[in-house]
């Protein structure tokens, strides 16, 4: 249920001071803070650019990693399929929105992307069978990736190479490999844990986890990945369960398919959080709470740390996370399409607040907390109980 | 019996008797019916457990059609989700469901034939009281179970996904051997049952 009542909100007052859960000692990131350079004000934000090596665009700084690479490599296990046993889509074809209406249910989950003015969506029920689409969007070579076991959809620049599915998992998360050097890249970390690129991070960008009817309403001009993938699969069948209309099967069950990297009972395993990992710390907002409250604020690094503001976007049922160092206050506008109002009365789109937006994405809690055990969790429901 | 064993050797005798038992089973209408129905039922179960055969669901629903993968011959032997799992090359929509054609149908058919033979031979022997001492009819069915469990989702065995069982490297290793294990068990079971059929006592 969406709530549109005007709710006075002072960001600093509602700060959730969640403690660090420890485990930082297992390994410190080198130059952590890959997101610090972001000047994200649109849905096209990308990790700050670093060099391009062997045709692969890299991030300027390594993204946060809370374990040493040796430990992570030891935790990698086979998911069952051989390398490329789950085939990436390397020559994607697209439907128009009208064509897609005949093929998709209104509530089907899609991952939306706006890139250099080009709008695309990728249905979850196609990606569950392929996990990676090597595409060109807005004249830019990108990989759209999805891991069903961790509920994470992430976009990466791929330059002159393509990514494939290694068949390995880390913390139940897809381990990609680049076809230039065969370096191994766990999707959530977006950082190579072995191979030529070990220690380097990818340039990543946001995919919006939403529903087909919502995406089409906002972007009627969208193209959408079709089932003409070059492979044959039963794209009506998700082997893990369903997101339509409620979570079923693996997606709704608390158990994971493989042992997770860590255990954190602050939330049940499959609860969805909107997580952000920055140099100043890791923070996760429980998505259902954000949907309920509209605005949530949290802090990492103790009382003198950095404050982050999460804003719910009711049109796409998604959220955005902003760095809010000054503790600026905002409120939800009554009766509007999820507009956010600043103290001076100026109204903003949830994706366009006058703050620095940081890269954030949906993830199942066990996956997020396993990779980032130091995460500050913002969940007012939990705090109240 | 002892003379026959001594003169012909244990293995040739077993093979000879099994061959006879198969011939006897398939030479009778009731034997043929058991063989055909069991093999068909097993093949359908194998395809369903492997997610190659599904019923219901879908947006279009009730559609009929054939979709062939790009470069189907090149993909035919391409490994897919698990050990002895191969890339589908065609999708058949038949109104109430879909069927994915891959080499796994041939694997499933081979195992189904073995299960069918096991049950047909056991059935015929059971119908012939003179050939007493015949093995339990359940042996052939039980031997076929491992292969039923071998289907895999994109990551992990389907049966574990369905029942929410957590996998480990050891469990995955076991799953890699389910199909070979089923074949060995089925052949062993067939020979074991066949060896106990005395041609002199069986009426065809």
């Amino acid at each position: 249920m969406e709530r549109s009542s005007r709710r006075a909100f002072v960001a600093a007052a509602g700060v959730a001071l969640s403690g660090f859960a420890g485990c930082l000692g297992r390994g410190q990131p080198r130059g952590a803070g890959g997101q610090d350079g972001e000047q994200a004000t649109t849905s096209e934000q990308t990790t700050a650019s670093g060099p391009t090596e062997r045709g692969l665009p890299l991030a300027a700084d390594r993204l946060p990693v809370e374990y040493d690479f040796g430990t992570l490599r030891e935790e990698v296990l086979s998911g069952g399929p051989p390398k490329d046993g789950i085939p990436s889509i390397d020559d994607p074809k697209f439907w128009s929105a009208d064509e897609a209406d005949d093929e998709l249910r209104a509530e089907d989950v899609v991952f939306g992307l706006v890139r250099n003015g080009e709008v695309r969506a990728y249905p979850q029920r196609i990606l569950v069978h392929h996990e990676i689409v090597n595409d060109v969007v807005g004249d830019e070579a990108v990989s759209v990736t999805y891991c069903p076991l961790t509920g994470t959809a992430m976009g990466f620049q791929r330059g002159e190479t393509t990514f494939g599915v290694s068949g390995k998992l880390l913390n139940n998360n897809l381990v990609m490999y680049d076809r230039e050097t065969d370096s191994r890249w766990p999707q959530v970390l977006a950082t190579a844990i072995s191979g030529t690129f070990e220690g380097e991070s990818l340039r990543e960008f946001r995919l919006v986890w939403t529903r087909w009817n919502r995406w089409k309403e906002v972007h009627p001009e969208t193209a959408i990945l079709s089932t003409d993938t070059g492979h044959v699969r039963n794209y009506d069948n998700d082997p893990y369960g369903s997101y339509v209309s409620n979570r079923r099967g693996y997606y709704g069950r608390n158990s994971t398919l493989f042992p997770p990297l860590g255990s954190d009972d602050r939330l049940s395993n499959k609860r969805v959080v909107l997580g952000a990992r920055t140099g100043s710390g890791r923070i996760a907002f429980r998505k259902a709470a954000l949907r309920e409250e509209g605005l949530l604020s949290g802090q990492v690094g103790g009382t003198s740390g950095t404050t982050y503001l999460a804003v719910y976007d009711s049109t796409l049922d998604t959220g955005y996370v902003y760095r809010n160092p000054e503790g600026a206050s905002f409120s939800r506008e009554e009766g509007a399409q999820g507009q956010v109002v600043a103290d001076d009365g100026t109204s903003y789109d949830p994706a366009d607040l006058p703050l620095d937006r940081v890269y954030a994405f949906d993830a199942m809690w066990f996956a997020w907390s396993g990779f980032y055990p130091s995460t500050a969790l913002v969940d007012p429901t939990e705090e109240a109980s | 019996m002892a003379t026959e064993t001594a003169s012909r050797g244990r293995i040739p005798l077993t093979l000879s008797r099994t061959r006879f038992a198969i011939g006897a089973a398939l030479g009778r209408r009731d034997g043929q019916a058991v063989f055909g129905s069991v093999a068909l039922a097993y093949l359908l179960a194998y395809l369903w457990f492997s997610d190659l055969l599904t019923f219901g669901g879908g947006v279009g629903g009730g559609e009929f059609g054939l979709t062939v993968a790009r470069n189907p011959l090149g993909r035919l032997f391409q490994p897919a989700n698990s050990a002895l799992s191969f890339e589908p090359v065609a999708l058949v929509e038949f109104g109430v469901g879909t069927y994915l054609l891959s080499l796994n149908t041939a694997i499933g058919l081979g195992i189904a034939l073995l299960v069918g033979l096991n049950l047909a031979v056991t059935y015929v022997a059971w119908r012939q009281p003179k050939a007493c001492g015949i093995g339990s009819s359940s042996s052939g069915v039980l031997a076929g179970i491992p292969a039923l469990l071998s289907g895999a989702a994109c990551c992990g065995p389907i049966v574990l996904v369905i029942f929410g069982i957590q996998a480990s490297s050891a469990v995955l290793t076991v799953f890699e051997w389910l199909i070979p294990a089923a074949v060995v068990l089925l052949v062993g079971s067939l020979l074991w049952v066949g060896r106990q059929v005395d041609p002199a006592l069986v009426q065809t």
Side-chain angles (χ1 to χ4, degrees), chain A residues 220-349:
Chain A
E221 77 282 21
T222 188
I224 186 157
L225 179 70
S226 81
T227 52
D228 182 11
T229 60
H231 304 267
V232 288
R233 292 287 186 279
N234 182 358
Y235 292 114
D236 290 331
N237 180 44
D238 180 338
Y240 299 105
S242 176
Y243 283 101
V244 181
S245 56
N246 296 311
R247 290 165 179 266
R248 294 198 307 272
Y250 173 84
Y251 306 126
R253 197 185 299 125
N254 192 54
S255 60
T256 57
L257 189 52
F258 298 93
L261 202 49
S263 176
D264 188 330
D265 61 5
R266 284 181 287 173
L267 289 177
S268 55
N269 283 334
K270 305 292 176 60
R271 286 280 190 179
V272 177
V273 295
L274 179 63
R277 43 180 172 37
T278 73
S280 58
R282 268 57 75 191
I283 191 165
F285 300 85
R286 187 166 71 84
K287 195 171 179 185
L290 180 61
R291 190 180 287 123
E292 183 80 6
E293 300 293 327
L295 294 163
L296 286 175
S297 186
Q299 196 168 41
V300 295
T303 52
S304 60
T306 308
T307 301
Y308 290 89
L309 175 68
V311 182
Y312 179 63
D313 179 343
S314 60
T315 56
L316 291 172
D317 187 35
T318 189
Y320 306 97
V321 177
Y322 297 87
R323 190 177 288 108
N324 189 17
E326 306 300 322
S329 66
F330 296 88
S331 61
R332 299 279 290 183
E333 194 167 64
E334 189 173 357
Q337 293 293 312
Q339 293 292 100
V340 177
V341 184
D343 268 353
D344 63 2
T346 310
S347 188
Y348 295 98
D349 185 273

Side-chain angles (χ1 to χ4, degrees), chain B:
Chain B
M1 182 86 173
T3 306
E4 185 186 20
T5 304
S7 62
R8 300 182 59 184
R10 187 173 288 272
I11 293 177
L13 175 69
T14 300
L15 292 176
S16 166
R17 285 193 168 190
T18 302
R19 198 161 43 240
F20 171 81
I22 292 172
L26 298 183
R28 299 165 49 121
R29 285 200 172 177
D30 52 356
Q32 291 167 1
V34 169
F35 170 74
S37 56
V38 168
L40 179 63
Y42 185 90
L43 178 61
L44 293 176
Y46 172 85
L47 295 174
W48 184 77
F49 270 95
S50 302
D51 248 13
L52 297 173
L53 182 67
T54 55
F55 296 96
V59 179
E63 291 182 355
F64 293 84
L66 172 68
T67 307
V68 179
R70 290 175 211 158
N71 186 22
L73 291 179
R75 294 191 196 282
L76 192 60
F77 295 96
Q78 194 173 312
N81 295 335
S82 62
L84 289 177
S85 168
F86 296 93
E87 184 73 9
V89 294
L91 171 71
V92 180
E93 294 171 280
F94 54 91
V96 296
T98 59
Y99 161 63
L100 284 165
L101 172 66
S102 73
L103 266 188
N104 285 94
T105 295
I107 291 174
L109 182 61
I111 297 170
L113 293 178
L114 281 172
V115 173
L117 283 178
N118 264 277
L119 268 289
V121 169
T122 305
Y123 170 78
V124 169
W126 173 67
R127 295 285 291 172
Q128 297 291 321
K130 286 180 180 176
C132 55
I134 209 75
S136 162
S137 62
S138 63
S139 60
V141 178
L142 294 175
I145 287 178
L148 282 183
L149 305 178
S150 65
C154 306
C155 292
I158 278 180
V159 68
L160 300 188
V161 174
I162 291 173
F163 292 107
I165 301 167
Q166 197 166 84
S168 65
S169 297
V171 169
L172 285 181
T173 302
V174 169
F175 271 82
E176 287 179 7
W177 289 95
L178 287 179
I179 288 179
V183 172
V184 169
L185 287 173
L186 285 166
V187 171
S189 168
L190 187 60
L191 293 173
W192 182 65
V193 175
R195 188 167 64 94
Q196 297 177 66
V197 174
D198 187 342
L201 300 176
V202 174
Q203 298 171 353
T204 56

